[in-house]
Amino acid sequence: FDGENIPYADASFDYALCTQVLEHCLNPEKLLSEVHRVLKPGGSFLLTVPLIWGEHEPPFDFRRYTSFGVEKLAKAQGFEVVEMRRLSEGLDALKTIVWSEHANFLRNAPPLSFQRKLKIKIGFFAFRVCCKLWKNSFPLERIYLDNCALLRKS
């Protein structure tokens, strides 16, 4: 599989799954067109794509997707959008991003001085306090990590 041309005959499958891959494809339109081709009429396609994540898998990380972008892309390739969900919203999304970036930093950082470790610990404590203060103050509903779309071949 070369990332664009799926090596199966037309209408081969009832279901297809593509999770956290589309952002790495050079030609996502072509890949979705191929998924549409290999699905049987009425076949279902579960697609997840990132909206907010740090760059990963360099140099093959090309894009992020809003729910509007997913819908437009899917419909352009002949899919019907059955359901669209935002995954990990608001403060949960912010916490996940911060912890993920912290883990990535620690994996790649040289040994840290006591002073730098202390600054990081204080920063995380302050972030946790802020999250508790923000929790009931405002919803941060426009911030979420991923989109999950259930699509159907008409």
Side-chain angles (χ1 to χ4, degrees):
F1 176 60
D2 63 7
E4 289 186 4
N5 302 292
I6 300 175
Y8 290 94
D10 294 0
S12 294
F13 300 100
D14 293 311
Y15 306 99
L17 172 68
C18 181
T19 180
Q20 306 304 94
V21 171
L22 208 58
E23 73 273 17
H24 302 289
C25 295
L26 288 172
N27 189 346
E29 294 84 2
K30 170 72 170 146
L31 179 58
L32 288 189
S33 172
E34 280 288 283
V35 171
H36 190 272
R37 180 186 65 76
V38 299
L39 277 175
K40 295 177 182 175
S44 296
F45 177 32
L46 185 65
L47 173 69
T48 68
V49 291
L51 172 66
I52 302 173
W53 277 108
E55 286 183 347
H56 57 282
E57 302 298 327
F60 302 103
D61 189 9
F62 303 118
R63 62 192 58 81
R64 300 294 182 261
Y65 292 92
T66 66
S67 56
F68 308 108
V70 172
E71 183 174 5
K72 182 176 171 126
L73 182 62
K75 286 181 175 179
Q77 302 311 318
F79 287 102
E80 166 195 351
V81 178
V82 176
E83 186 174 350
M84 181 85 69
R85 289 192 184 178
R86 294 173 170 184
L87 304 179
S88 192
E89 297 177 297
L91 284 174
D92 288 339
L94 283 178
K95 288 182 211 176
T96 300
I97 288 292
V98 169
W99 286 111
S100 172
E101 290 304 305
H102 177 253
N104 186 58
F105 168 76
L106 290 179
R107 262 193 311 276
N108 299 311
L112 302 176
S113 68
F114 173 79
Q115 194 174 34
R116 188 137 185 217
K117 286 179 187 177
L118 184 60
K119 286 180 184 179
I120 290 170
K121 286 183 184 287
I122 291 169
F124 271 102
F125 175 77
F127 179 72
R128 285 195 302 276
V129 169
C130 287
C131 286
K132 287 183 187 298
L133 292 172
W134 294 334
K135 185 172 183 170
N136 298 317
S137 301
F138 59 99
L140 296 170
E141 61 197 24
R142 296 180 323 130
I143 296 173
Y144 59 97
L145 296 182
D146 303 298
N147 281 293
C148 181
L150 178 58
L151 310 173
R152 181 178 303 132
K153 179 178 178 176
S154 305

